[in-house]
């Protein structure tokens, strides 16, 4: 893991545990054992660090969905299953990241980061809905509101995250 990735991992842990507002760049530098200037060099600001953290992780998920959606060998039910399995695996293996994202989504303190995060998830929803729509056309699925399917999946993810916060 390079220094930049290490700073992102440490900041994710601190943001998840203490919240973005309560975590200072000095806290991150001390915990990561790096010079404060190095954080500013890589990310320009604490907000820049949060933005890049969310962007990097969310785009990895988006890339996975794009690959699944583009796989012409896989049926639509198999694509949906793979996406759901991937979401669930990421939710449990990356619970700190999800806590940070949900803090941003629910608190809406940084409108630019909130809007950017929403745009990434909206693209994921569009890709998922297109798989559902193709599955309906091919007769794999009963006619459904494809957009609502992804929202339901995300709602379940939100519920799981809130429940895991209560047990921590």
């Amino acid at each position: 893991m390079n220094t930049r990735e290490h700073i992102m991992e440490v900041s994710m842990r601190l943001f998840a545990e203490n919240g973005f507002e309560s975590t200072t760049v000095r806290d991150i530098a001390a915990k990561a054992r790096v010079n404060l200037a190095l954080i500013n060099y890589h990310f320009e600001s604490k907000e820049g660090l949060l933005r890049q953290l969310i962007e990097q992780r969310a785009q990895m998920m988006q890339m996975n969905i794009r690959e699944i959606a583009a796989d012409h060998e896989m049926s639509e039910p198999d694509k949906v299953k793979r996406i759901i399995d991937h979401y669930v695996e990421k939710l449990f293996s990356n619970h700190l990241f999800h806590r940070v994202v949900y803090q941003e989504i629910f608190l809406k303190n940084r409108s630019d980061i909130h809007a950017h995060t929403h745009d990434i998830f909206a693209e994921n929803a569009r890709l998922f809905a297109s798989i559902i729509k193709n599955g309906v056309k091919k007769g794999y699925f009963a006619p459904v509101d494809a957009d609502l399917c992804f929202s339901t999946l995300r709602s379940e993810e939100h519920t799981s995250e809130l429940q895991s916060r209560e047990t921590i």
Side-chain angles (χ1 to χ4, degrees), residues 2 12 14 24 45 55 68 73-74 76 79 114 120 129-130 138-139 141-142 146 149 151-152 154 164:
N2 66 34
M12 181 174 58
L14 291 173
T24 67
S45 66
E55 189 173 283
I68 292 169
E73 300 293 315
M74 194 182 306
E76 279 69 15
K79 290 178 183 184
H114 182 270
I120 292 169
S130 72
K138 293 178 180 178
F141 307 125
C149 289
S151 295
T152 302
R154 299 284 301 155
S164 73

Side-chain angles (χ1 to χ4, degrees), residues 12-99:
M12 181 174 58
R13 223 173 307 121
L14 291 173
F15 294 156
E17 292 169 2
N18 306 325
F20 179 83
E21 305 300 333
S22 298
T23 302
T24 67
V25 178
R26 290 186 191 283
D27 295 335
I28 296 166
K31 189 81 169 183
R33 296 183 178 170
V34 298
N35 186 307
L36 189 63
L38 197 56
I39 295 173
N40 290 324
Y41 171 77
H42 283 292
F43 306 102
E44 296 180 7
S45 66
K46 184 171 78 164
E47 288 79 10
L49 173 55
L50 176 63
R51 182 185 188 97
Q52 287 186 38
L53 173 69
I54 291 173
E55 189 173 283
Q56 179 191 48
R57 299 287 173 97
Q59 285 183 344
M60 287 181 351
M61 181 63 192
Q62 190 174 90
M63 187 173 67
N64 183 272
I65 293 174
R66 283 182 192 280
E67 288 173 6
I68 292 169
D71 187 338
H72 299 295
E73 300 293 315
M74 194 182 306
S75 70
E76 279 69 15
D78 288 340
K79 290 178 183 184
V80 168
K81 182 181 180 330
R82 287 262 318 270
I83 290 170
I84 291 171
D85 287 348
H86 188 73
Y87 256 93
V88 170
E89 188 271 322
K90 289 297 179 191
L91 177 64
F92 289 109
S93 68
N94 237 340
H95 68 280
L96 295 178
F97 170 71
H98 289 278
R99 180 175 290 175

Side-chain angles (χ1 to χ4, degrees), residues 139-158:
Y140 288 116
F141 307 125
V144 294
D145 182 334
D147 297 320
L148 187 59
C149 289
F150 190 78
S151 295
T152 302
L153 175 63
R154 299 284 301 155
S155 294
E156 290 301 318
E157 188 177 355
H158 290 300

Side-chain angles (χ1 to χ4, degrees), residues 76-142:
E76 279 69 15
D78 288 340
K79 290 178 183 184
V80 168
K81 182 181 180 330
R82 287 262 318 270
I83 290 170
I84 291 171
D85 287 348
H86 188 73
Y87 256 93
V88 170
E89 188 271 322
K90 289 297 179 191
L91 177 64
F92 289 109
S93 68
N94 237 340
H95 68 280
L96 295 178
F97 170 71
H98 289 278
R99 180 175 290 175
V100 171
V101 168
Y102 293 125
Q103 287 170 354
E104 283 306 303
I105 289 172
F106 292 136
L107 296 177
K108 299 181 185 177
N109 289 337
R110 283 154 293 286
S111 59
D112 63 321
I113 293 174
H114 182 270
H116 186 64
T117 303
H118 179 269
D119 290 346
I120 292 169
F121 286 121
E123 177 61 11
N124 291 353
R126 188 194 66 72
L127 291 165
F128 190 80
S130 72
I131 293 169
I132 297 294
K133 288 174 185 173
N134 286 337
V136 169
K137 283 180 190 172
K138 293 178 180 178
Y140 288 116
F141 307 125

